Amino acid sequence: MFSLMTFMQTDAELIAQSLASPERFGLVFDRHFRAIHQFAARRLGVAQADDIAAETFARAFKARRKFVPQEGSARPWLYGIATNVMRMHSRGEVRRLKAYARTGIDPVEDFAGAATDRASADKSRRALLAALAELSRRDREIVLLAAWAELNSVEIGAALGMSDATVRTRLARARKKLSRTEAISPAPTGGDLAIEEQR
Amino acid sequence: MNTTTDPILLLRELRAAVAEPTREAELRARDAMFASRSGGRSRTRMVAAFAVCLLALVPAVVVLSPWTHTQSAQAAVDQLAETAADQPTMKLGPRDWIVSHYTARYSWIQDLTQERLDTLTARALAVAEMPGNDGHYLRRNSDNKPISDAEADAINRKQQRRIDRIRDGVKLDELPATHIEAWNESPYTQVRSTTGIGGGGGGNNTIHYGSPQQAAAGKILQRAGIGGVNANPTDFGGMEISSLPAQAIGDESSVEGLSTEPDRMRDQLAKSGAIVGLSERPKAGSTLDIFGKTAGVVFSPYASPQQRAAAIRLAASLPGVEIDQHARDSAQREGIGMALAIPGGSMQFVFNEADSRLLGMVVQIDDVKTFVGDSYAIGKDHKKIPVLPPYDSATVAVSYDALTISRGAPPCKPTFCMTGPHPSKAELERMRRIAGTG
């Protein structure tokens, strides 16, 4: 019941209210913190994710006046900030990906205490991660926002300050590169793969 | 074994391996965020925050000095708890749908003028009565253009298949990705009826969403004032959603294992996540926090009768909670009220004496700046509802009347469910004019 009215409010409305009542931003935090944290954890590990998620929301809170509502949701905006925060860790991420591809051991799973041998048994995944490490930073960000944040091309564009068309082009190009790896056959078109384009 | 070769989907599989953030990390981040705020806090907020801190200290006192009520008040609470224990539990199956309905009523006590009250009421009714709100599938990212019956049938079949998968015991994590994609590809949303009040909504909405995962993840459909799909079927009114697992007070996982002993329940609730939705979020374990959570347990369809009874006893035993045997909600229905001071005002739950059902909640907050945001009607003739100016130093009373839940089919026709007498045509016209929608 407590969130009865609050829930009905869009992020944009809550952020607008937070200008007069900063506590309202706490509800935006509640809605998105876990997702942002998990996105950061998947990319850089849980230990760094704590700081990155905290920094993301601190920046978002300070910059909330600049928020431009996109269908009311703050998701793309927050992922954009998180991506900026993570940029300084770009090299570490590449190292991590390469290590994963080389050893087959997921460093994130290790850190979370849930290591499995699943990854080591999956050659295609290791090849994929190696290819991911070879992508340009920008293309990698687009791919990961599509894969792990489940943003569509419009939202990725909003997050990274790019046009929808540019995102689609880059995503298609990155996908091709990733599919060219040794163990991955070219991705089929349509069906399941329509997600990024269709949303 | 997965056979997909799409790199995006392969990458997506990795995501599940990540551990969730700890509660400590979340609280640290939240504190850091607010610590970064620019400018000083207003005096009101400082007082409110101080009050919250004071409230947080109270539970320690209650152990030494249990809160006592008058004999008759205590008897009323006992009767309420015993009645609750006799009520049947609504046990939900995987295919059940929960529908809750409420009517939000606003009254602006301090700055109340009839004109303002009329405007607020009119906004709700005018939107609800707008033609085109019922049964229309709306295209996403386009104007509100209804689709053909054949298209609607196809969507219904698609939706039914998803529900069938859940019924068949497929775990959410195991549902194939096509479920998400079906949603993403689907340009349609069904809106049966919609009302809009003030800052973002209210009234009765029925939304058919595409993906259980989307709902389970709390992802929401943002469209023209509709808040979207909440993963917690017990936490809000007016939406038809499936009984999916979620982490929130009142949902299945939160009441599972809750003790039927009030003292033990208090300890358990204190350790559970803090409630959201209050402008000053109460500290976990504080009196206000526990008070709110007990109402969630009483309201929860998943709670056992014994748990509901214990929650009622616990709420009444909290320090500072006042019992009013002749409380009335804003619909003027009499019940047993339990009230607690909150920062800047008070919060009262009103229970029905006959069946211990939670009739509604009345929150009064003094000296706050109210906010009334954009609101939209949905439907063929959708219009933006004029924004009311915010009121300074108003007292707001919000009561959720007719807070009911049911299972299966919606309990009323897919039109606006009025709890009171339906207004006449002339009255509606008058209200539409006031609301600026006529």
Side-chain angles (χ1 to χ4, degrees), chain A residues 110-137:
Chain A
D110 269 351
F111 194 90
T116 70
D117 60 357
R118 188 180 60 196
S120 59
D122 192 338
K123 281 185 180 177
S124 63
R125 184 178 293 169
R126 291 167 62 179
L128 173 65
L129 293 171
L132 188 63
E134 295 301 322
L135 290 180
S136 70
R137 188 196 70 202

mmCIF file of all heavy atoms in Angstrom, chain A residues 110-137:
data_model
loop_
_atom_site.group_PDB
_atom_site.id
_atom_site.type_symbol
_atom_site.label_atom_id
_atom_site.label_comp_id
_atom_site.label_asym_id
_atom_site.label_seq_id
_atom_site.Cartn_x
_atom_site.Cartn_y
_atom_site.Cartn_z
ATOM 1 N N ASP A 110 33.921 -16.441 -9.490
ATOM 2 C CA ASP A 110 34.895 -16.767 -8.451
ATOM 3 C C ASP A 110 34.739 -15.854 -7.258
ATOM 4 O O ASP A 110 34.699 -16.274 -6.116
ATOM 5 C CB ASP A 110 36.322 -16.610 -9.006
ATOM 6 C CG ASP A 110 36.810 -17.926 -9.581
ATOM 7 O OD1 ASP A 110 36.126 -18.949 -9.388
ATOM 8 O OD2 ASP A 110 37.851 -17.903 -10.224
ATOM 9 N N PHE A 111 34.631 -14.592 -7.586
ATOM 10 C CA PHE A 111 34.550 -13.615 -6.516
ATOM 11 C C PHE A 111 33.285 -13.811 -5.699
ATOM 12 O O PHE A 111 33.262 -13.657 -4.495
ATOM 13 C CB PHE A 111 34.572 -12.196 -7.096
ATOM 14 C CG PHE A 111 34.831 -11.168 -6.054
ATOM 15 C CD1 PHE A 111 36.111 -10.791 -5.753
ATOM 16 C CD2 PHE A 111 33.778 -10.617 -5.331
ATOM 17 C CE1 PHE A 111 36.356 -9.859 -4.758
ATOM 18 C CE2 PHE A 111 34.017 -9.689 -4.335
ATOM 19 C CZ PHE A 111 35.316 -9.307 -4.057
ATOM 20 N N ALA A 112 32.224 -14.158 -6.408
ATOM 21 C CA ALA A 112 30.951 -14.347 -5.714
ATOM 22 C C ALA A 112 30.894 -15.678 -4.979
ATOM 23 O O ALA A 112 29.917 -15.988 -4.335
ATOM 24 C CB ALA A 112 29.813 -14.273 -6.710
ATOM 25 N N GLY A 113 31.959 -16.430 -5.074
ATOM 26 C CA GLY A 113 31.983 -17.698 -4.377
ATOM 27 C C GLY A 113 31.117 -18.740 -5.023
ATOM 28 O O GLY A 113 30.637 -19.661 -4.385
ATOM 29 N N ALA A 114 30.860 -18.592 -6.301
ATOM 30 C CA ALA A 114 29.979 -19.543 -6.983
ATOM 31 C C ALA A 114 30.658 -20.078 -8.236
ATOM 32 O O ALA A 114 30.059 -20.196 -9.291
ATOM 33 C CB ALA A 114 28.669 -18.862 -7.336
ATOM 34 N N ALA A 115 31.914 -20.376 -8.109
ATOM 35 C CA ALA A 115 32.632 -20.821 -9.299
ATOM 36 C C ALA A 115 32.084 -22.151 -9.799
ATOM 37 O O ALA A 115 31.745 -23.033 -9.043
ATOM 38 C CB ALA A 115 34.106 -20.972 -8.964
ATOM 39 N N THR A 116 31.977 -22.228 -11.075
ATOM 40 C CA THR A 116 31.552 -23.493 -11.667
ATOM 41 C C THR A 116 32.498 -23.802 -12.809
ATOM 42 O O THR A 116 33.295 -22.963 -13.214
ATOM 43 C CB THR A 116 30.124 -23.393 -12.229
ATOM 44 O OG1 THR A 116 30.171 -22.557 -13.379
ATOM 45 C CG2 THR A 116 29.146 -22.854 -11.229
ATOM 46 N N ASP A 117 32.394 -24.999 -13.270
ATOM 47 C CA ASP A 117 33.243 -25.336 -14.395
ATOM 48 C C ASP A 117 32.505 -25.161 -15.707
ATOM 49 O O ASP A 117 32.935 -25.596 -16.744
ATOM 50 C CB ASP A 117 33.755 -26.767 -14.275
ATOM 51 C CG ASP A 117 32.604 -27.756 -14.243
ATOM 52 O OD1 ASP A 117 31.437 -27.321 -14.264
ATOM 53 O OD2 ASP A 117 32.880 -28.958 -14.188
ATOM 54 N N ARG A 118 31.363 -24.512 -15.628
ATOM 55 C CA ARG A 118 30.555 -24.369 -16.812
ATOM 56 C C ARG A 118 31.310 -23.610 -17.902
ATOM 57 O O ARG A 118 31.376 -24.016 -19.043
ATOM 58 C CB ARG A 118 29.263 -23.621 -16.459
ATOM 59 C CG ARG A 118 28.255 -23.582 -17.555
ATOM 60 C CD ARG A 118 27.028 -22.824 -17.087
ATOM 61 N NE ARG A 118 27.369 -21.454 -16.716
ATOM 62 C CZ ARG A 118 26.585 -20.667 -16.008
ATOM 63 N NH1 ARG A 118 25.458 -21.107 -15.556
ATOM 64 N NH2 ARG A 118 26.940 -19.432 -15.731
ATOM 65 N N ALA A 119 31.910 -22.511 -17.479
ATOM 66 C CA ALA A 119 32.566 -21.675 -18.469
ATOM 67 C C ALA A 119 33.753 -22.385 -19.104
ATOM 68 O O ALA A 119 33.999 -22.280 -20.303
ATOM 69 C CB ALA A 119 33.025 -20.380 -17.825
ATOM 70 N N SER A 120 34.484 -23.098 -18.246
ATOM 71 C CA SER A 120 35.674 -23.741 -18.778
ATOM 72 C C SER A 120 35.312 -24.797 -19.813
ATOM 73 O O SER A 120 36.114 -25.138 -20.668
ATOM 74 C CB SER A 120 36.477 -24.365 -17.638
ATOM 75 O OG SER A 120 35.684 -25.310 -16.965
ATOM 76 N N ALA A 121 34.094 -25.306 -19.725
ATOM 77 C CA ALA A 121 33.693 -26.349 -20.665
ATOM 78 C C ALA A 121 33.137 -25.747 -21.959
ATOM 79 O O ALA A 121 32.858 -26.450 -22.902
ATOM 80 C CB ALA A 121 32.647 -27.252 -20.021
ATOM 81 N N ASP A 122 32.978 -24.443 -21.999
ATOM 82 C CA ASP A 122 32.288 -23.830 -23.116
ATOM 83 C C ASP A 122 33.273 -23.033 -23.976
ATOM 84 O O ASP A 122 33.598 -21.892 -23.682
ATOM 85 C CB ASP A 122 31.181 -22.919 -22.562
ATOM 86 C CG ASP A 122 30.238 -22.468 -23.659
ATOM 87 O OD1 ASP A 122 30.655 -22.488 -24.834
ATOM 88 O OD2 ASP A 122 29.109 -22.097 -23.324
ATOM 89 N N LYS A 123 33.709 -23.667 -25.013
ATOM 90 C CA LYS A 123 34.698 -23.018 -25.860
ATOM 91 C C LYS A 123 34.140 -21.794 -26.564
ATOM 92 O O LYS A 123 34.821 -20.791 -26.736
ATOM 93 C CB LYS A 123 35.203 -24.008 -26.922
ATOM 94 C CG LYS A 123 36.219 -24.993 -26.401
ATOM 95 C CD LYS A 123 36.731 -25.825 -27.562
ATOM 96 C CE LYS A 123 37.760 -26.839 -27.060
ATOM 97 N NZ LYS A 123 38.218 -27.706 -28.141
ATOM 98 N N SER A 124 32.907 -21.909 -26.977
ATOM 99 C CA SER A 124 32.331 -20.799 -27.736
ATOM 100 C C SER A 124 32.267 -19.537 -26.884
ATOM 101 O O SER A 124 32.481 -18.426 -27.346
ATOM 102 C CB SER A 124 30.940 -21.165 -28.248
ATOM 103 O OG SER A 124 30.072 -21.396 -27.173
ATOM 104 N N ARG A 125 31.974 -19.731 -25.609
ATOM 105 C CA ARG A 125 31.886 -18.578 -24.735
ATOM 106 C C ARG A 125 33.262 -17.931 -24.540
ATOM 107 O O ARG A 125 33.386 -16.714 -24.556
ATOM 108 C CB ARG A 125 31.306 -19.006 -23.386
ATOM 109 C CG ARG A 125 31.080 -17.851 -22.440
ATOM 110 C CD ARG A 125 30.465 -18.309 -21.162
ATOM 111 N NE ARG A 125 29.105 -18.801 -21.368
ATOM 112 C CZ ARG A 125 28.425 -19.454 -20.433
ATOM 113 N NH1 ARG A 125 28.966 -19.718 -19.272
ATOM 114 N NH2 ARG A 125 27.211 -19.873 -20.671
ATOM 115 N N ARG A 126 34.258 -18.764 -24.400
ATOM 116 C CA ARG A 126 35.606 -18.226 -24.210
ATOM 117 C C ARG A 126 36.041 -17.466 -25.456
ATOM 118 O O ARG A 126 36.655 -16.395 -25.377
ATOM 119 C CB ARG A 126 36.570 -19.358 -23.875
ATOM 120 C CG ARG A 126 36.293 -19.927 -22.490
ATOM 121 C CD ARG A 126 36.991 -21.227 -22.253
ATOM 122 N NE ARG A 126 38.440 -21.114 -22.312
ATOM 123 C CZ ARG A 126 39.274 -22.136 -22.114
ATOM 124 N NH1 ARG A 126 38.775 -23.324 -21.825
ATOM 125 N NH2 ARG A 126 40.561 -21.978 -22.173
ATOM 126 N N ALA A 127 35.715 -18.025 -26.589
ATOM 127 C CA ALA A 127 36.076 -17.337 -27.834
ATOM 128 C C ALA A 127 35.325 -16.018 -27.943
ATOM 129 O O ALA A 127 35.866 -15.000 -28.386
ATOM 130 C CB ALA A 127 35.731 -18.234 -29.021
ATOM 131 N N LEU A 128 34.104 -16.052 -27.498
ATOM 132 C CA LEU A 128 33.283 -14.840 -27.548
ATOM 133 C C LEU A 128 33.885 -13.737 -26.663
ATOM 134 O O LEU A 128 33.970 -12.571 -27.052
ATOM 135 C CB LEU A 128 31.872 -15.175 -27.079
ATOM 136 C CG LEU A 128 30.913 -14.014 -26.896
ATOM 137 C CD1 LEU A 128 30.628 -13.339 -28.227
ATOM 138 C CD2 LEU A 128 29.603 -14.507 -26.283
ATOM 139 N N LEU A 129 34.308 -14.123 -25.480
ATOM 140 C CA LEU A 129 34.868 -13.132 -24.567
ATOM 141 C C LEU A 129 36.184 -12.571 -25.088
ATOM 142 O O LEU A 129 36.484 -11.385 -24.918
ATOM 143 C CB LEU A 129 35.050 -13.751 -23.178
ATOM 144 C CG LEU A 129 33.726 -14.097 -22.498
ATOM 145 C CD1 LEU A 129 33.965 -14.893 -21.229
ATOM 146 C CD2 LEU A 129 32.944 -12.827 -22.185
ATOM 147 N N ALA A 130 36.943 -13.441 -25.733
ATOM 148 C CA ALA A 130 38.188 -12.958 -26.337
ATOM 149 C C ALA A 130 37.877 -11.933 -27.418
ATOM 150 O O ALA A 130 38.536 -10.882 -27.518
ATOM 151 C CB ALA A 130 38.963 -14.137 -26.921
ATOM 152 N N ALA A 131 36.853 -12.231 -28.208
ATOM 153 C CA ALA A 131 36.464 -11.296 -29.261
ATOM 154 C C ALA A 131 35.905 -10.006 -28.670
ATOM 155 O O ALA A 131 36.137 -8.913 -29.188
ATOM 156 C CB ALA A 131 35.421 -11.957 -30.162
ATOM 157 N N LEU A 132 35.196 -10.152 -27.574
ATOM 158 C CA LEU A 132 34.638 -8.964 -26.908
ATOM 159 C C LEU A 132 35.757 -8.033 -26.442
ATOM 160 O O LEU A 132 35.663 -6.809 -26.532
ATOM 161 C CB LEU A 132 33.781 -9.415 -25.719
ATOM 162 C CG LEU A 132 32.960 -8.363 -24.991
ATOM 163 C CD1 LEU A 132 31.913 -7.754 -25.916
ATOM 164 C CD2 LEU A 132 32.264 -8.972 -23.774
ATOM 165 N N ALA A 133 36.814 -8.635 -25.942
ATOM 166 C CA ALA A 133 37.953 -7.837 -25.480
ATOM 167 C C ALA A 133 38.619 -7.077 -26.622
ATOM 168 O O ALA A 133 39.253 -6.049 -26.405
ATOM 169 C CB ALA A 133 38.972 -8.746 -24.783
ATOM 170 N N GLU A 134 38.463 -7.606 -27.817
ATOM 171 C CA GLU A 134 39.100 -6.965 -28.976
ATOM 172 C C GLU A 134 38.261 -5.829 -29.560
ATOM 173 O O GLU A 134 38.756 -5.049 -30.382
ATOM 174 C CB GLU A 134 39.349 -8.017 -30.080
ATOM 175 C CG GLU A 134 40.341 -9.102 -29.692
ATOM 176 C CD GLU A 134 41.703 -8.533 -29.321
ATOM 177 O OE1 GLU A 134 42.129 -7.564 -29.981
ATOM 178 O OE2 GLU A 134 42.321 -9.027 -28.361
ATOM 179 N N LEU A 135 37.016 -5.751 -29.177
ATOM 180 C CA LEU A 135 36.168 -4.670 -29.709
ATOM 181 C C LEU A 135 36.657 -3.324 -29.198
ATOM 182 O O LEU A 135 37.309 -3.230 -28.151
ATOM 183 C CB LEU A 135 34.711 -4.864 -29.245
ATOM 184 C CG LEU A 135 33.909 -6.017 -29.829
ATOM 185 C CD1 LEU A 135 32.494 -6.007 -29.220
ATOM 186 C CD2 LEU A 135 33.812 -5.916 -31.346
ATOM 187 N N SER A 136 36.309 -2.288 -29.933
ATOM 188 C CA SER A 136 36.623 -0.948 -29.429
ATOM 189 C C SER A 136 35.813 -0.726 -28.156
ATOM 190 O O SER A 136 34.763 -1.366 -27.942
ATOM 191 C CB SER A 136 36.252 0.109 -30.457
ATOM 192 O OG SER A 136 34.844 0.197 -30.574
ATOM 193 N N ARG A 137 36.285 0.207 -27.338
ATOM 194 C CA ARG A 137 35.606 0.442 -26.075
ATOM 195 C C ARG A 137 34.139 0.794 -26.302
ATOM 196 O O ARG A 137 33.244 0.298 -25.624
ATOM 197 C CB ARG A 137 36.306 1.575 -25.326
ATOM 198 C CG ARG A 137 35.799 1.758 -23.912
ATOM 199 C CD ARG A 137 36.209 3.081 -23.352
ATOM 200 N NE ARG A 137 35.472 4.146 -24.021
ATOM 201 C CZ ARG A 137 35.849 5.424 -24.086
ATOM 202 N NH1 ARG A 137 36.988 5.786 -23.549
ATOM 203 N NH2 ARG A 137 35.119 6.320 -24.701
#
